[in-house]
Amino acid sequence: MKTVTRKRSCVQSRVLRLVAAAVSMAMVIVGGLTIGSGAASAAPARQTMWINACGMPGQVKVNYWARPGNYKTVVLLDGLRATNDVSGWEHNTRVQDMADSGVNVVEPIGGLASWYADWDAPSNFNNQPYRYTWNCVISWSLVRAMDERGLRGPSGRYAIAGISMGGGPALVIAANNRHNFSHAFSMSGVLALSIPGTRSAVRVMLIDAGIEAGVGPFNSDSMFGPPWSPRWADNDPLIQVPKMHGLNVRVAASTGLWGQYNTDPINSLKGSPLETLALAQTRAFEVQAAINRLPITTDYPITGTHDWGYWSEMMWRAKNSGWFR
């Protein structure tokens, strides 16, 4: 038993060192990244609902595409630079067309640099006038609104998926709400907040996203507290793996190699190391899942960067493989 434990520890240590190196590289190029921007047309039969914002100002807008008789409903979380007008999923992809073939699509709008979390306090770097409560919005307000519209379907539970910033929260929200969610999918997510350098990378990301959006830098200490706060562990998919037993978990990330969607050289140069980081984080999560005997489904395409075209393909592969059933 001691030999097995030492072997597991060795594997984990190697993975942690590799991911820490990838984090350090990615932090150099975080500034000016376009996580969650692009262009595409809206799908037909879009419906809109406004839901309780859990103490944040006003209400949260949610667009959704649904058809009676569909077998599943998936909630799609946005990336770091989520805007208040439309979800990046609608703006950049056609995944809402899944509603025509069995899977309802629900897209909450907003959540810039929020990590879809309930923050400890308003961000003090930019004098944010209110505290983010996005975990409450997704796990309570949205679930309640979907229930009222009969979107649970025959399975009785929902699916949740997210890209980049939204990937980790998709897994954590599902793990803490298994009575409401049966499927959780991370695409290019930050899935190992406990790995050295990752929390510093998140700090840089939140600062950069707020500055680029024109609202000033967000402070990650206002989100989960200082780096030693237990709330970081509470929101770390790597550490929360034991809670995921009973969930249908899927993770995906690309290699960072350019492919058919890399038409913008500047964004592609920035997206490659980001996707390399996401791949290292996702592989670390896969190792942790194996150690904890959590069966998961993986998708590691040979080419792809941190870009909506590749995330759209990941979603369609998941659906076409029957994963949502």
Side-chain angles (χ1 to χ4, degrees):
M1 180 62 72
K2 290 182 178 179
T3 301
V4 173
T5 301
R6 282 197 296 270
K7 286 181 179 179
R8 287 180 176 176
S9 178
C10 182
V11 171
Q12 285 179 303
S13 297
R14 289 175 182 172
V15 172
L16 293 179
R17 285 196 298 270
L18 289 172
V19 177
V23 168
S24 299
M25 177 180 68
M27 285 181 65
V28 177
I29 52 86
V30 158
L33 295 173
T34 55
I35 308 172
S37 61
S41 59
R46 178 182 63 189
Q47 301 179 70
T48 300
M49 54 182 162
W50 296 86
I51 65 175
N52 190 307
C54 292
M56 295 187 294
Q59 294 180 302
V60 172
K61 182 181 179 182
V62 180
N63 287 338
Y64 68 102
W65 295 259
R67 190 171 72 176
N70 280 352
Y71 60 84
K72 201 69 177 179
T73 294
V74 59
V75 175
L76 296 181
L77 303 183
D78 213 333
L80 186 70
R81 288 168 170 79
T83 60
N84 291 324
D85 56 347
V86 66
S87 168
W89 284 103
E90 181 180 359
H91 197 56
N92 298 285
T93 78
R94 297 289 301 179
V95 297
Q96 54 268 29
D97 291 343
M98 290 183 181
D100 291 331
S101 56
V103 177
N104 300 321
V105 176
V106 178
E107 298 174 1
I109 297 170
L112 169 71
S114 68
W115 228 258
Y116 290 102
D118 291 343
W119 285 37
D120 285 351
S123 172
N124 57 353
F125 279 4
N126 56 359
N127 296 316
Q128 188 179 23
Y130 60 92
R131 180 175 68 94
Y132 270 150
T133 54
W134 277 95
N135 185 293
C136 172
V137 168
I138 303 301
S139 62
W140 182 77
S141 297
L142 181 56
V143 168
R144 184 177 180 181
M146 291 189 296
D147 285 351
E148 291 172 352
R149 289 159 178 80
L151 296 179
R152 276 192 185 257
S155 73
R157 290 186 291 171
Y158 299 105
I160 185 169
I163 57 99
S164 193
M165 177 193 79
L171 301 186
V172 171
I173 288 172
N176 289 322
N177 297 274
R178 285 181 295 171
H179 57 296
N180 287 322
F181 294 97
S182 60
H183 291 60
F185 186 10
S186 167
M187 289 159 275
S188 308
V190 181
L191 306 185
L193 294 174
S194 52
I195 287 177
T198 304
R199 296 176 190 182
S200 296
V202 171
R203 177 180 294 275
V204 174
M205 291 175 190
L206 298 193
I207 289 172
D208 180 70
I211 292 174
E212 184 177 296
V215 299
F218 287 92
N219 183 6
S220 62
D221 287 351
S222 300
M223 179 170 67
F224 297 144
W228 53 87
S229 167
R231 288 212 66 214
W232 285 92
D234 292 342
N235 289 276
D236 187 347
L238 191 78
I239 294 176
Q240 298 304 315
V241 161
K243 288 185 177 181
M244 297 181 192
H245 287 280
L247 283 176
N248 196 333
V249 176
R250 185 181 180 96
V251 295
S254 301
T255 60
L257 296 176
W258 291 18
Q260 63 175 315
Y261 299 110
N262 295 104
T263 56
D264 183 335
I266 301 300
N267 280 335
S268 296
L269 285 170
K270 295 174 180 178
S272 287
L274 260 187
E275 194 63 18
T276 301
L277 166 62
L279 177 61
Q281 291 256 323
T282 303
R283 288 291 193 182
F285 177 87
E286 182 184 9
V287 170
Q288 183 77 339
I291 290 171
N292 284 270
R293 298 181 180 179
L294 172 70
I296 66 172
T297 305
T298 60
D299 180 9
Y300 296 122
I302 296 175
T303 60
T305 58
H306 221 64
D307 187 271
W308 284 101
Y310 301 108
W311 295 325
S312 176
E313 286 193 345
M314 290 172 181
M315 278 291 295
W316 282 106
R317 279 196 295 272
K319 180 183 181 298
N320 293 337
S321 71
W323 181 76
F324 285 107
R325 290 191 176 273

